[in-house]
PDB file of all heavy atoms in Angstrom:
ATOM      1  N   THR A 198      18.345 116.307   9.901  1.00  0.00           N
ATOM      2  CA  THR A 198      17.897 114.995  10.345  1.00  0.00           C
ATOM      3  C   THR A 198      18.465 114.778  11.739  1.00  0.00           C
ATOM      4  O   THR A 198      19.642 115.048  12.000  1.00  0.00           O
ATOM      5  CB  THR A 198      18.354 113.881   9.400  1.00  0.00           C
ATOM      6  OG1 THR A 198      19.783 113.925   9.257  1.00  0.00           O
ATOM      7  CG2 THR A 198      17.698 114.036   8.035  1.00  0.00           C
ATOM      8  N   VAL A 251      21.367 100.530  15.222  1.00  0.00           N
ATOM      9  CA  VAL A 251      20.622 101.767  14.986  1.00  0.00           C
ATOM     10  C   VAL A 251      20.897 102.304  13.585  1.00  0.00           C
ATOM     11  O   VAL A 251      19.987 102.762  12.888  1.00  0.00           O
ATOM     12  CB  VAL A 251      20.974 102.818  16.059  1.00  0.00           C
ATOM     13  CG1 VAL A 251      20.314 104.159  15.730  1.00  0.00           C
ATOM     14  CG2 VAL A 251      20.538 102.345  17.436  1.00  0.00           C
ATOM     15  N   GLY A 252      22.147 102.233  13.153  1.00  0.00           N
ATOM     16  CA  GLY A 252      22.486 102.711  11.818  1.00  0.00           C
ATOM     17  C   GLY A 252      21.722 101.984  10.725  1.00  0.00           C
ATOM     18  O   GLY A 252      21.244 102.605   9.760  1.00  0.00           O
ATOM     19  N   LEU A 255      18.222 103.282  10.754  1.00  0.00           N
ATOM     20  CA  LEU A 255      18.175 104.633  10.188  1.00  0.00           C
ATOM     21  C   LEU A 255      18.240 104.578   8.663  1.00  0.00           C
ATOM     22  O   LEU A 255      17.550 105.349   7.978  1.00  0.00           O
ATOM     23  CB  LEU A 255      19.329 105.473  10.728  1.00  0.00           C
ATOM     24  CG  LEU A 255      19.218 105.961  12.171  1.00  0.00           C
ATOM     25  CD1 LEU A 255      20.494 106.694  12.575  1.00  0.00           C
ATOM     26  CD2 LEU A 255      18.012 106.876  12.356  1.00  0.00           C
ATOM     27  N   GLU A 256      19.055 103.684   8.146  1.00  0.00           N
ATOM     28  CA  GLU A 256      19.171 103.583   6.686  1.00  0.00           C
ATOM     29  C   GLU A 256      17.832 103.188   6.058  1.00  0.00           C
ATOM     30  O   GLU A 256      17.480 103.668   4.973  1.00  0.00           O
ATOM     31  CB  GLU A 256      20.262 102.589   6.309  1.00  0.00           C
ATOM     32  CG  GLU A 256      20.569 102.579   4.824  1.00  0.00           C
ATOM     33  CD  GLU A 256      21.883 101.889   4.504  1.00  0.00           C
ATOM     34  OE1 GLU A 256      22.345 101.074   5.340  1.00  0.00           O
ATOM     35  OE2 GLU A 256      22.453 102.175   3.445  1.00  0.00           O
ATOM     36  N   LEU A 259      15.853 106.624   6.358  1.00  0.00           N
ATOM     37  CA  LEU A 259      16.381 107.839   5.739  1.00  0.00           C
ATOM     38  C   LEU A 259      17.121 107.606   4.431  1.00  0.00           C
ATOM     39  O   LEU A 259      17.423 108.560   3.705  1.00  0.00           O
ATOM     40  CB  LEU A 259      17.330 108.545   6.718  1.00  0.00           C
ATOM     41  CG  LEU A 259      16.776 108.890   8.105  1.00  0.00           C
ATOM     42  CD1 LEU A 259      17.870 109.478   8.980  1.00  0.00           C
ATOM     43  CD2 LEU A 259      15.601 109.848   7.999  1.00  0.00           C
ATOM     44  N   GLY A 260      17.452 106.352   4.155  1.00  0.00           N
ATOM     45  CA  GLY A 260      18.260 106.051   2.982  1.00  0.00           C
ATOM     46  C   GLY A 260      19.743 106.099   3.224  1.00  0.00           C
ATOM     47  O   GLY A 260      20.531 105.685   2.377  1.00  0.00           O
ATOM     48  N   VAL A 261      20.133 106.596   4.386  1.00  0.00           N
ATOM     49  CA  VAL A 261      21.544 106.635   4.798  1.00  0.00           C
ATOM     50  C   VAL A 261      21.608 106.234   6.271  1.00  0.00           C
ATOM     51  O   VAL A 261      20.648 106.441   7.016  1.00  0.00           O
ATOM     52  CB  VAL A 261      22.168 108.043   4.609  1.00  0.00           C
ATOM     53  CG1 VAL A 261      22.309 108.380   3.137  1.00  0.00           C
ATOM     54  CG2 VAL A 261      21.347 109.105   5.327  1.00  0.00           C
ATOM     55  N   PRO A 262      22.740 105.681   6.721  1.00  0.00           N
ATOM     56  CA  PRO A 262      22.806 105.180   8.090  1.00  0.00           C
ATOM     57  C   PRO A 262      23.272 106.225   9.106  1.00  0.00           C
ATOM     58  O   PRO A 262      23.823 105.882  10.146  1.00  0.00           O
ATOM     59  CB  PRO A 262      23.842 104.046   7.979  1.00  0.00           C
ATOM     60  CG  PRO A 262      24.777 104.527   6.913  1.00  0.00           C
ATOM     61  CD  PRO A 262      23.916 105.281   5.924  1.00  0.00           C
ATOM     62  N   GLU A 263      23.022 107.501   8.809  1.00  0.00           N
ATOM     63  CA  GLU A 263      23.503 108.542   9.704  1.00  0.00           C
ATOM     64  C   GLU A 263      22.539 109.715   9.724  1.00  0.00           C
ATOM     65  O   GLU A 263      21.655 109.846   8.876  1.00  0.00           O
ATOM     66  CB  GLU A 263      24.893 109.023   9.274  1.00  0.00           C
ATOM     67  CG  GLU A 263      24.925 109.668   7.906  1.00  0.00           C
ATOM     68  CD  GLU A 263      26.315 110.112   7.503  1.00  0.00           C
ATOM     69  OE1 GLU A 263      27.294 109.654   8.128  1.00  0.00           O
ATOM     70  OE2 GLU A 263      26.421 110.914   6.561  1.00  0.00           O
ATOM     71  N   VAL A 264      22.734 110.571  10.742  1.00  0.00           N
ATOM     72  CA  VAL A 264      21.932 111.783  10.894  1.00  0.00           C
ATOM     73  C   VAL A 264      22.875 112.975  11.033  1.00  0.00           C
ATOM     74  O   VAL A 264      24.082 112.828  11.257  1.00  0.00           O
ATOM     75  CB  VAL A 264      21.018 111.703  12.131  1.00  0.00           C
ATOM     76  CG1 VAL A 264      19.920 110.673  11.938  1.00  0.00           C
ATOM     77  CG2 VAL A 264      21.829 111.408  13.396  1.00  0.00           C
ATOM     78  N   ASP A 265      22.288 114.160  10.918  1.00  0.00           N
ATOM     79  CA  ASP A 265      23.085 115.381  11.079  1.00  0.00           C
ATOM     80  C   ASP A 265      23.390 115.676  12.536  1.00  0.00           C
ATOM     81  O   ASP A 265      24.446 116.225  12.859  1.00  0.00           O
ATOM     82  CB  ASP A 265      22.329 116.585  10.498  1.00  0.00           C
ATOM     83  CG  ASP A 265      22.064 116.451   9.021  1.00  0.00           C
ATOM     84  OD1 ASP A 265      22.962 115.991   8.298  1.00  0.00           O
ATOM     85  OD2 ASP A 265      20.947 116.803   8.584  1.00  0.00           O
ATOM     86  N   CYS A 266      22.452 115.350  13.423  1.00  0.00           N
ATOM     87  CA  CYS A 266      22.535 115.776  14.821  1.00  0.00           C
ATOM     88  C   CYS A 266      22.076 114.647  15.740  1.00  0.00           C
ATOM     89  O   CYS A 266      21.105 113.947  15.436  1.00  0.00           O
ATOM     90  CB  CYS A 266      21.621 116.988  15.068  1.00  0.00           C
ATOM     91  SG  CYS A 266      21.739 118.305  13.841  1.00  0.00           S
ATOM     92  N   GLU A 296      28.705 106.829  16.328  1.00  0.00           N
ATOM     93  CA  GLU A 296      28.673 105.998  15.128  1.00  0.00           C
ATOM     94  C   GLU A 296      27.699 106.541  14.085  1.00  0.00           C
ATOM     95  O   GLU A 296      27.975 106.509  12.888  1.00  0.00           O
ATOM     96  CB  GLU A 296      28.281 104.567  15.503  1.00  0.00           C
ATOM     97  CG  GLU A 296      29.353 103.822  16.295  1.00  0.00           C
ATOM     98  CD  GLU A 296      28.866 102.467  16.778  1.00  0.00           C
ATOM     99  OE1 GLU A 296      27.690 102.116  16.485  1.00  0.00           O
ATOM    100  OE2 GLU A 296      29.639 101.759  17.453  1.00  0.00           O
ATOM    101  N   ILE A 297      26.553 107.062  14.530  1.00  0.00           N
ATOM    102  CA  ILE A 297      25.497 107.414  13.567  1.00  0.00           C
ATOM    103  C   ILE A 297      25.421 108.902  13.237  1.00  0.00           C
ATOM    104  O   ILE A 297      24.678 109.283  12.327  1.00  0.00           O
ATOM    105  CB  ILE A 297      24.115 106.952  14.086  1.00  0.00           C
ATOM    106  CG1 ILE A 297      23.737 107.703  15.364  1.00  0.00           C
ATOM    107  CG2 ILE A 297      24.092 105.444  14.272  1.00  0.00           C
ATOM    108  CD1 ILE A 297      22.315 107.479  15.814  1.00  0.00           C
ATOM    109  N   THR A 298      26.176 109.730  13.932  1.00  0.00           N
ATOM    110  CA  THR A 298      26.165 111.159  13.621  1.00  0.00           C
ATOM    111  C   THR A 298      27.235 111.435  12.566  1.00  0.00           C
ATOM    112  O   THR A 298      28.368 110.982  12.682  1.00  0.00           O
ATOM    113  CB  THR A 298      26.436 111.997  14.880  1.00  0.00           C
ATOM    114  OG1 THR A 298      25.429 111.700  15.860  1.00  0.00           O
ATOM    115  CG2 THR A 298      26.396 113.487  14.566  1.00  0.00           C
ATOM    116  N   ARG A 299      26.856 112.167  11.549  1.00  0.00           N
ATOM    117  CA  ARG A 299      27.762 112.406  10.416  1.00  0.00           C
ATOM    118  C   ARG A 299      29.031 113.126  10.867  1.00  0.00           C
ATOM    119  O   ARG A 299      29.065 113.789  11.900  1.00  0.00           O
ATOM    120  CB  ARG A 299      27.058 113.250   9.348  1.00  0.00           C
ATOM    121  CG  ARG A 299      26.784 114.691   9.775  1.00  0.00           C
ATOM    122  CD  ARG A 299      26.222 115.519   8.638  1.00  0.00           C
ATOM    123  NE  ARG A 299      25.952 116.885   9.065  1.00  0.00           N
ATOM    124  CZ  ARG A 299      26.869 117.867   9.108  1.00  0.00           C
ATOM    125  NH1 ARG A 299      28.114 117.633   8.749  1.00  0.00           N
ATOM    126  NH2 ARG A 299      26.535 119.075   9.506  1.00  0.00           N
ATOM    127  N   ALA A 300      30.076 112.994  10.069  1.00  0.00           N
ATOM    128  CA  ALA A 300      31.315 113.715  10.348  1.00  0.00           C
ATOM    129  C   ALA A 300      31.039 115.214  10.368  1.00  0.00           C
ATOM    130  O   ALA A 300      30.372 115.755   9.482  1.00  0.00           O
ATOM    131  CB  ALA A 300      32.369 113.392   9.293  1.00  0.00           C
ATOM    132  N   LYS A 337      35.834 111.909  13.567  1.00  0.00           N
ATOM    133  CA  LYS A 337      34.705 112.466  12.829  1.00  0.00           C
ATOM    134  C   LYS A 337      34.486 113.957  13.136  1.00  0.00           C
ATOM    135  O   LYS A 337      33.502 114.542  12.677  1.00  0.00           O
ATOM    136  CB  LYS A 337      33.433 111.665  13.145  1.00  0.00           C
ATOM    137  CG  LYS A 337      33.514 110.207  12.681  1.00  0.00           C
ATOM    138  CD  LYS A 337      32.282 109.403  13.070  1.00  0.00           C
ATOM    139  CE  LYS A 337      31.082 109.708  12.204  1.00  0.00           C
ATOM    140  NZ  LYS A 337      29.945 108.789  12.489  1.00  0.00           N
TER     141      LYS A 337
END
Side-chain angles (χ1 to χ4, degrees):
T198 56
V251 174
L255 286 176
E256 188 164 22
L259 305 175
V261 291
E263 63 181 16
V264 291
D265 298 319
C266 313
E296 290 174 0
I297 65 171
T298 301
R299 69 174 179 84
K337 296 177 76 173

